Structures are given as structure tokens and as C-alpha cells.
Amino acid sequence: MATISGSAYPLASGSGLFPASGLGAGSPAANAFQSNGFIPQIWSGKLVEKFYAATVLAAISNTDYEGEIKNQGDRVKIRTKPTITIRPYSSDGTLTLERPEGSSLELFINKGRYFNTILDDVMDVQSDLNAMSIWADDAAEQLKISVDTDVLTTILGGPATRNRGTTAGQITQSINLGATTTPLAVVPRSPTSGQVEVLDLLLRMGQALDEQNIPETGRWIVLPVWMAAQLKFSDLRQAYLTGDSVSVLRNGRLGMIDRFTIYSSNLLPKGSLSSSGVDGAQSLAANEYVVYAGHAHGLTFASQISKVETMRSELTFGNILRGLQVYGYQIVDDKALVQAVVTKAA
């Protein structure tokens, strides 16, 4: 409250203005001054910071063919190396001729996402913010989130048969990675019957890649956020187990574990989900989550913002900012991807 000539006057909310001296509080003149809108509203020049879901697609895929696309609907033929047959040799035998033929697959650039916004001239003139720039920045982040969610959902069921399910393992066929309706109940440490320690799950997924002869360098794993937290509460709390001077509980960084670079994301498939994935219809039951692991060689992704433009609106007075992103993705080598279905143990 401000006091002028011994009288109290309420300050207008959000401003430093008050009725002129001599107008008593509650007087008709003072009420008219306030009710007619002469006291302006002050808008902050700063916007509340907006945070976005972490995206991981760029880190877990390769973009080897991105430069070869131009517009939505393009196709890129990807040729794979043939497998040469090695045969036993006999000094008195004849040699068998082979004409190696590599297979091929197509990367379809058949996905698209767009945004379409308008900034009215009146709003542009009266605003003290660069609205177009703010919207463009937000659109870029939202596009990344939308594309990440699409890819991570659609590749559900895409890893090789021996890289998922309850009998995974190309050689042993004895690795339980969980499946829908029979997920692995994951705990940070000290598992009881029917539970799996979070570190055990990472080792199982690493073994599945080992049995497929996937290179050790360049491996990654994407965990739900709650599982990443479990890792920090696991035995990795002890610094000597990771070889670091400070434990992951102290520094908060997950880094690399069992040759995996660890990522966490809230965009992984979860819950009651039905998806027409690369391997047919896939589903998840309530409280089930997917964990992906693999090598960047396994998944290729191509993206191109083909058009970002501003134009005058034909329907009103304003400028339109719109953009189109076209992209495509393809599992190039399903043996280089591993999938686990898990749930958070009570």
C-alpha cells in the first residue's frame, strides 16, 4: 500500500502506478480512473523457460544415406555385402565356383511432419517479443520429439528373433529378455525370486550382441528414465566397480557400462500400446516398457527439412511461418539391435 497525503491507495497489480494525489481511495474520481483501464498491465520481457523431452535418435542411428534424399516419397536402394562361402580344400578335388550376390533393401522417405503458424500484424506491431523466432525454435524441438517418438515406437519388434524374447541368443538361445505379458521385473540390486537386477539386464543384452558378433565399439543402450535412476542405486554406487574416482551416485553421469554408452529417454514405447511396427503388429501391456540396445550400424535414418517459409496470409492480415520435415528410417541389420520388455518391480 502507498500513502499520499495521509490517505492509503492500493497499487495496481503488476505496476508501480497509483491514483494522482488528492483523489481519495474509494472516491468516484479514483474509481473511474482505475475502472476505465488507464492503469496499464506490464508484461515481462522474459519467457518462462520451456523444457523438452530428451531425444536420442541421432545418437543411436546412422545417417549414411541422408545426403541422397531430396523430397518426400524418395527411395534409396541400400546394397548389402554378400556372404562368401568358405569350403574345405582337397588337392585332388575340383573347385566350386560361386557368384556372390548381395541383397538389397530400400529406405523409403515416406514420413512427414509439419507446422503452420500465423503471426497477425497487430500482434507483431504491439508485441515486444520476436514471436516468429520463438515459435521457430519451439517448432524445431517439437519436430525432434515427434520424429523420435515415431521411430522408437515403430521399430518395436524389429530386432532379430534371437535378439528379443524369452529365448534370445543366437548361440545359446537361453537369454531371457522378456516379452509382452511376461516382462522382466527390474530392481536396482538384491533381486528376489522373479526379479532381475538392472545390471544383469545390461549384461544379458550385451551377450545377445556378442552372440551375433556385433562390434564392441559404438554400442548404445536406451533406458527408461526410472531404470536409469535404478542404475545409480545399483552396485555401480561403488566407484571401484566402474574404475572411476567418483561413483555414479556422486557425479550423476552414467557414461559407459559393459561397452554400452547409456542414454535415457521418456519417449520409449510404454504402457498399453498397439503399433504396426516393422515386424507386424506389436503390443505392450500396461506398465510394460521397452529397452533398446544395439550398434549404430543397425538403424539408418534420413531426415531433411525440405521447406521452411514465410508468406502472407490470404485470409487475414498476418505472416505465416510454416515448415515441413520429411524423413525415413530402416533397420539395415536386425542382428545389430536388441530389445527387452521390462516392468518396474514393486
Side-chain angles (χ1 to χ4, degrees):
M1 303 291 286
T3 302
I4 301 179
S5 301
S7 299
Y9 297 89
L11 292 175
S13 175
S15 75
L17 304 178
F18 46 82
S21 176
L23 298 179
S27 68
N31 290 338
F33 187 89
Q34 295 179 13
S35 63
N36 287 340
F38 291 110
I39 300 177
Q41 292 182 337
I42 306 301
W43 286 69
S44 172
K46 297 181 179 180
L47 294 179
V48 176
E49 184 67 24
K50 188 173 183 179
F51 298 98
Y52 303 90
T55 55
V56 297
L57 187 57
I60 67 174
S61 64
N62 70 75
T63 55
D64 296 342
Y65 312 98
E66 191 167 56
E68 301 183 30
I69 69 169
K70 292 181 176 63
N71 294 298
Q72 186 170 2
D74 281 2
R75 301 182 183 185
V76 179
K77 272 193 172 294
I78 303 174
R79 290 167 290 188
T80 61
K81 292 181 181 180
T83 300
I84 306 300
T85 303
I86 305 301
R87 297 179 173 88
Y89 172 73
S90 175
S91 59
D92 58 351
T94 58
L95 303 181
T96 301
L97 283 174
E98 179 182 17
R99 291 180 173 83
E101 292 184 6
S103 60
S104 65
L105 52 87
E106 285 188 321
L107 169 61
F108 293 87
I109 310 304
N110 57 356
K111 298 277 188 173
R113 294 288 189 274
Y114 78 92
F115 63 91
N116 191 26
T117 61
I118 185 169
L119 178 61
D120 292 301
D121 289 345
V122 174
M123 180 179 177
D124 188 22
V125 171
Q126 296 182 352
S127 174
D128 59 339
L129 299 174
N130 188 342
M132 281 285 195
S133 177
I134 294 170
W135 295 352
D137 291 342
D138 185 72
E141 295 294 335
Q142 298 297 347
L143 278 173
K144 288 195 297 183
I145 292 172
S146 178
V147 172
D148 254 47
T149 302
D150 177 36
V151 176
L152 293 175
T153 300
T154 307
I155 65 172
L156 181 64
T161 303
R162 292 302 177 191
N163 286 12
R164 53 188 168 92
T166 57
T167 57
Q170 180 63 31
I171 299 173
T172 62
Q173 300 179 17
S174 62
I175 307 172
N176 185 1
L177 296 178
T180 186
T181 70
T182 57
L184 299 177
V186 182
V187 294
R189 59 186 184 277
S190 304
T192 59
S193 178
Q195 297 179 339
V196 176
E197 188 176 357
V198 62
L199 287 177
D200 184 13
L201 176 61
L202 269 65
L203 295 176
R204 294 184 187 187
M205 300 184 83
Q207 181 185 344
L209 290 175
D210 290 340
E211 294 192 14
Q212 294 283 15
N213 301 311
I214 302 303
E216 294 185 356
T217 57
R219 293 186 183 185
W220 51 262
I221 188 168
V222 185
L223 307 175
V225 172
W226 60 265
M227 188 178 291
Q230 284 189 342
L231 270 180
K232 298 177 184 179
F233 284 103
S234 70
D235 288 334
L236 292 180
R237 295 176 303 162
Q238 306 298 327
Y240 68 85
L241 291 178
T242 61
D244 298 329
S245 59
V246 181
S247 72
V248 295
L249 194 58
R250 288 276 305 278
N251 61 25
R253 294 192 300 268
L254 294 172
M256 294 188 67
I257 301 173
D258 187 33
R259 302 158 294 170
F260 287 119
T261 299
I262 311 296
Y263 300 97
S264 64
S265 173
N266 282 321
L267 304 179
L268 287 166
K270 60 182 181 296
S272 299
L273 170 72
S274 295
S275 171
S276 298
V278 295
D279 193 37
Q282 302 292 322
S283 62
L284 291 174
N287 301 318
E288 291 181 349
Y289 295 79
V290 171
V291 177
Y292 292 124
H295 189 279
H297 166 72
L299 176 67
T300 190
F301 176 82
S303 173
Q304 181 181 10
I305 299 287
S306 59
K307 295 183 183 298
V308 176
E309 58 188 17
T310 58
M311 57 188 299
R312 291 294 293 174
S313 171
E314 297 180 354
L315 302 177
T316 185
F317 294 100
N319 290 319
I320 292 175
L321 170 68
R322 64 185 186 181
L324 171 67
Q325 179 180 11
V326 296
Y327 63 95
Y329 49 91
Q330 178 71 45
I331 294 180
V332 179
D333 185 358
D334 58 2
K335 297 179 181 178
L337 295 177
V338 178
Q339 170 186 305
V341 179
V342 301
T343 188
K344 186 177 181 181

